[in-house]
Amino acid sequence: MSPKRDNIQLKLTTESPNTRRRQYLRRLIEHNQDKLTVLDERLPDPPLVWAMHQLLLTRLTVQPYFVRRDNGALSVSAVGINLPPSRLHRFLERAGGGRQLSFYPVFGDKILTRTHEVTRPSQPLNELVREYFVWVDIQADKVRAVHTFADSEFESDDARRKFIQLAQKGGAFAVIRNRMTSLAHAEQDINPSQLSALLKRDTHKARQLEDEFISLCAYGELVDVTDEVLMRLGR
């Protein structure tokens, strides 16, 4: 059970009810073996299986998004959704008043400064990783304010603990890890055959699609690391 007691991990035990269920399934299979076709399955090498497993898990738990530049202004242009909605998804939805996902808890009014290292035109960083402590102040089911601090903005662990204590008293709290990578010349990733087919049908839409890809300047992934941070801080 997580320190905040809102996340629990379960596993199958060796208690008698579970043992009886396994025995029943085993007898059922043995009784019908002559009706079942045995197929030889070629499994990948163990390292490859482990890598695929890790990749799948991370894809299910992250909140992907794209940042675009339009006349010098930056904005989140597209967001990926995993189903069923994760805890992070629901948190961002609450921050948006329950109607839509809001990235305000991560970027606030500082999207230019918080993405500058990977979106600047000259020598951008390949990758940027930062953690944000977020408190969504909610009263009577309405968002009153959103308070966000980067991990580096705290002077000490005691300051982090005080912020967490305050946040947990009124509203929703989360620690979000934001991993961003620079995205240059995204239009080169458009499938040429698909673009050619679109050009034949609708030149305007093809140009619009190309312009949208040209405007992309960063790709990011948000991960909920609340439990990890609370455990690290002894909360």
Side-chain angles (χ1 to χ4, degrees), residues 91-151:
F91 179 82
L92 297 175
E93 198 171 47
R94 290 187 72 183
R99 297 182 301 275
Q100 59 183 1
L101 292 183
S102 171
F103 275 62
Y104 190 87
V106 178
F107 297 121
D109 298 321
K110 305 175 181 178
I111 188 169
L112 281 171
T113 56
R114 289 182 175 171
T115 63
H116 176 68
E117 287 92 337
V118 295
T119 60
R120 61 193 179 200
S122 176
Q123 297 180 332
L125 291 179
N126 289 329
E127 186 178 67
L128 176 67
V129 181
R130 282 183 179 157
E131 291 181 1
Y132 296 97
F133 287 62
V134 185
W135 168 26
V136 180
D137 187 0
I138 301 174
Q139 296 291 335
D141 293 330
K142 291 186 178 180
V143 177
R144 295 202 311 173
V146 177
H147 308 277
T148 302
F149 292 91
D151 182 67

Side-chain angles (χ1 to χ4, degrees), residues 63-221:
Q63 189 76 55
Y65 66 93
F66 288 91
V67 175
R68 64 174 297 182
R69 179 184 287 106
D70 186 10
N71 294 324
L74 299 181
S75 62
V76 176
S77 62
V79 179
I81 301 297
N82 286 317
L83 296 175
S86 64
R87 184 172 63 177
L88 176 58
H89 177 108
R90 293 192 297 270
F91 179 82
L92 297 175
E93 198 171 47
R94 290 187 72 183
R99 297 182 301 275
Q100 59 183 1
L101 292 183
S102 171
F103 275 62
Y104 190 87
V106 178
F107 297 121
D109 298 321
K110 305 175 181 178
I111 188 169
L112 281 171
T113 56
R114 289 182 175 171
T115 63
H116 176 68
E117 287 92 337
V118 295
T119 60
R120 61 193 179 200
S122 176
Q123 297 180 332
L125 291 179
N126 289 329
E127 186 178 67
L128 176 67
V129 181
R130 282 183 179 157
E131 291 181 1
Y132 296 97
F133 287 62
V134 185
W135 168 26
V136 180
D137 187 0
I138 301 174
Q139 296 291 335
D141 293 330
K142 291 186 178 180
V143 177
R144 295 202 311 173
V146 177
H147 308 277
T148 302
F149 292 91
D151 182 67
S152 58
E153 294 181 271
F154 291 100
E155 295 181 355
S156 64
D157 282 344
D158 284 339
R160 294 180 179 89
R161 294 187 185 98
K162 288 179 181 178
F163 178 81
I164 293 171
Q165 186 178 16
L166 183 63
Q168 290 178 333
K169 285 182 179 179
F173 168 75
V175 183
I176 301 174
R177 180 175 295 148
N178 183 28
R179 185 184 302 273
M180 298 184 66
T181 183
S182 179
L183 197 61
H185 307 295
E187 70 278 6
Q188 295 178 1
D189 293 328
I190 302 177
N191 188 299
S193 60
Q194 293 180 346
L195 183 61
S196 177
L198 184 59
L199 274 169
K200 293 177 181 177
R201 293 198 304 269
D202 194 322
T203 305
H204 174 70
K205 286 187 178 180
R207 171 55 63 184
Q208 189 177 33
L209 175 65
E210 197 169 21
D211 289 342
E212 287 181 6
F213 271 72
I214 290 174
S215 68
L216 296 178
C217 57
Y219 169 76
E221 293 180 346

